[in-house]
């Protein structure tokens, strides 16, 4: 059966945990120089309407290691709904490739694409969500603490696609997710309320950074002005200046806390050099884990596609 990965909510708790296990296994094999050709002969269309370093490189390398191939398409090739309709793009592309991976602006256009695509669709980031990143983050935390459930994650900064992705994860895995942000930079509040009332995780929003990070296992941040919203950068600096992750704030978390950032970082704004490059930072492991988590996602989707 065709399945997608457009947000973490598309998969069950068991499927997410199985994906972390598969990613750990694939990572171990890769480190041993073994790359099982689980995607042999498979070709993936990768559509980018925004910039990327980590996502593009990690997907292309991962697909290559698994025996497949990737085609890189940008807005120079087409923009969804402009040269031709979303259903036409979805149906035509599905006749050529084994999966469509897309990074774009509107989340709804990825949902629309998936409705008409006959092959799995993977969200490589929209304005609303970045599920591949949070899957890799879950893997990184699992590796570091040997557990994920019950940890306190303090997310500091803009209420954006990453914050929403963490809320989605909290809807599937029991966490204590404490969001520290200004009243002007809130995440998707409908999503927040749904996750809160579902009751699986403890989720909260504080307008005090100090309160948000108290006793945290993980301090997480992201840029204050996301791609496509850089015109808001000056306003965001004013709104979020008290939510920077710096050494003083880090000292309020648990002494063994780790610091995470999906990158790219705006050093000196949402995080200081001292913390980003410091001993508690795991940002490079986090970036590397994009490769392993995404290989597992593609393998899982291909297995579902092959075995109804
Ligand atoms: N974290 C992340 O998605 O990085 P890129 O924008 O470089 O792909
Ligand atoms: N929130 C950021 C994430 C980048 C990986 C953005 O959308 O630009």
């Amino acid at each position: 059966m065709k399945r997608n990965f457009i947000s973490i909510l598309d998969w069950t708790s068991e499927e997410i945990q199985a994906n972390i296990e598969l990613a750990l296994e694939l990572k171990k094999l890769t480190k041993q120089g073994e790359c099982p050709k689980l995607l042999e002969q498979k070709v993936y269309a990768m559509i980018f309407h925004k910039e990327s370093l980590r996502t593009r490189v990690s997907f292309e390398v991962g697909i290559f290691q698994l025996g497949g191939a990737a085609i890189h398409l940008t807005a120079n090739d087409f923009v969804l709904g402009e040269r031709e309709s979303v259903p036409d793009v979805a149906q035509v592309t599905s006749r050529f490739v084994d999966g469509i991976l897309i990074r774009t602006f509107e989340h709804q256009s990825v949902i629309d694409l998936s409705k008409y695509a006959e092959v799995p669709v993977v969200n490589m980031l929209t304005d609303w969500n970045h599920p591949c990143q949070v899957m890799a983050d879950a893997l990184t935390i699992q590796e570091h603490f040997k557990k994920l459930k019950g940890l306190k994650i303090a997310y500091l900064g803009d209420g954006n696609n990453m914050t929403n992705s963490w809320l989605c994860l909290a809807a599937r895995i029991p966490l204590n997710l404490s969001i520290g942000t200004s009243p002007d930079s809130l995440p998707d509040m409908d999503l927040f309320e749904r996750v809160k009332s579902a009751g699986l995780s403890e989720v909260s929003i504080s307008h005090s950074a100090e309160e948000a990070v108290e006793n945290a296992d993980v301090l997480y941040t992201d840029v204050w002005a996301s791609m496509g919203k850089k015109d808001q950068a000056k306003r965001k600096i004013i709104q979020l200046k008290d939510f920077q992750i710096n050494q003083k704030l880090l000292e309020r978390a648990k002494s063994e806390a780790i610091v995470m950032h999906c990158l790219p970082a705006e050093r000196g704004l949402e995080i200081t050099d001292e913390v980003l490059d410091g001993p508690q930072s795991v940002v490079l492991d986090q970036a590397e884990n994009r490769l392993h988590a995404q290989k597992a996602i593609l393998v899982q989707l291909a297995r579902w596609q092959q075995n109804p």
Side-chain angles (χ1 to χ4, degrees):
M1 187 183 61
K2 183 197 99 154
R3 297 271 303 271
N4 303 302
F5 187 65
I6 298 175
S7 96
I8 280 281
L9 299 176
D10 290 338
W11 291 18
T12 65
S13 175
E14 292 72 28
E15 289 165 352
I16 294 161
Q17 288 173 70
N19 201 79
I20 294 171
E21 293 306 316
L22 178 57
L24 286 168
E25 180 61 23
L26 291 172
K27 182 170 182 175
K28 196 170 116 198
L29 290 174
T30 309
K31 300 283 178 196
Q32 291 166 1
E34 291 172 48
C35 291
K37 302 297 175 219
L38 300 172
L39 299 180
E40 194 154 31
Q41 300 285 331
K42 295 202 183 293
V43 181
Y44 294 85
M46 296 178 63
I47 305 168
F48 283 94
H49 293 153
K50 290 177 175 171
E51 296 169 279
S52 174
L53 169 64
R54 280 144 290 270
T55 306
R56 179 179 175 187
V57 177
S58 57
F59 264 116
E60 284 203 28
V61 170
I63 291 167
F64 174 79
Q65 288 178 347
L66 292 165
I71 300 170
H72 182 243
L73 298 156
T74 70
N76 289 333
D77 300 291
F78 68 92
V79 174
L80 277 182
E82 279 190 13
R83 184 160 178 255
E84 55 193 328
S85 71
V86 171
D88 286 355
V89 170
Q91 291 176 101
V92 170
T93 313
S94 297
R95 294 293 175 106
F96 299 130
V97 300
D98 299 283
I100 304 173
L101 285 48
I102 178 159
R103 166 171 287 197
T104 193
F105 295 86
E106 291 284 325
H107 190 75
Q108 188 59 44
S109 45
V110 179
I111 294 174
D112 294 344
L113 188 77
S114 74
K115 278 189 195 141
Y116 293 95
E118 286 162 25
V119 294
V121 170
V122 174
N123 175 6
M124 298 194 293
L125 182 146
T126 60
D127 288 346
W128 185 71
N129 224 273
H130 196 4
C132 295
Q133 180 68 56
V134 85
M135 185 69 96
D137 297 341
L139 167 63
T140 308
I141 294 170
Q142 173 73 39
E143 261 187 321
H144 188 89
F145 289 109
K146 309 290 174 236
K147 65 174 188 173
L148 178 59
K149 288 181 185 170
L151 292 180
K152 177 168 176 178
I153 317 291
Y155 182 99
L156 274 286
D158 190 36
N160 61 14
N161 45 9
M162 276 318 309
T163 333
N164 294 337
S165 303
W166 273 103
L167 283 167
C168 293
L169 189 69
R172 291 288 178 268
I173 307 281
L175 299 170
N176 178 352
L177 177 62
S178 160
I179 299 167
T181 189
S182 91
D184 311 304
S185 286
L186 297 171
D188 176 342
M189 290 307 285
D190 286 343
L191 174 65
F192 175 82
E193 293 302 339
R194 274 191 285 135
V195 176
K196 192 171 174 160
S197 55
L200 179 72
S201 291
E202 207 177 305
V203 294
S204 59
I205 295 180
S206 168
H207 302 313
S208 152
E210 288 73 23
E211 187 180 274
V213 304
E214 206 67 60
N215 220 24
D217 300 286
V218 177
L219 264 63
Y220 199 108
T221 191
D222 182 16
V223 287
W224 289 343
S226 288
M227 289 180 280
K229 298 182 179 171
K230 294 293 179 194
D231 57 325
Q232 296 178 13
K234 280 192 183 141
R235 189 154 27 106
K236 290 285 176 190
I237 292 172
I238 296 164
Q239 289 170 1
L240 294 167
K241 62 177 175 18
D242 296 334
F243 296 90
Q244 181 191 66
I245 299 188
N246 52 40
Q247 195 58 37
K248 197 164 155 235
L249 193 66
L250 179 55
E251 279 159 19
R252 298 190 72 118
K254 282 189 183 158
S255 56
E256 64 274 24
I258 57 170
V259 175
M260 301 182 79
H261 191 310
C262 57
L263 303 178
E266 294 233 29
R267 289 167 174 265
L269 290 184
E270 74 273 6
I271 191 162
T272 58
D273 285 339
E274 186 185 16
V275 174
L276 193 67
D277 302 326
Q280 287 168 268
S281 169
V282 297
V283 296
L284 295 178
D285 294 333
Q286 201 186 339
E288 181 192 328
N289 279 337
R290 295 292 303 278
L291 172 65
H292 311 295
Q294 289 160 189
K295 283 166 77 173
I297 291 167
L298 292 181
V299 167
Q300 190 54 65
L301 289 171
R303 284 179 180 162
W304 283 329
Q305 176 92 335
Q306 279 151 16
N307 302 306

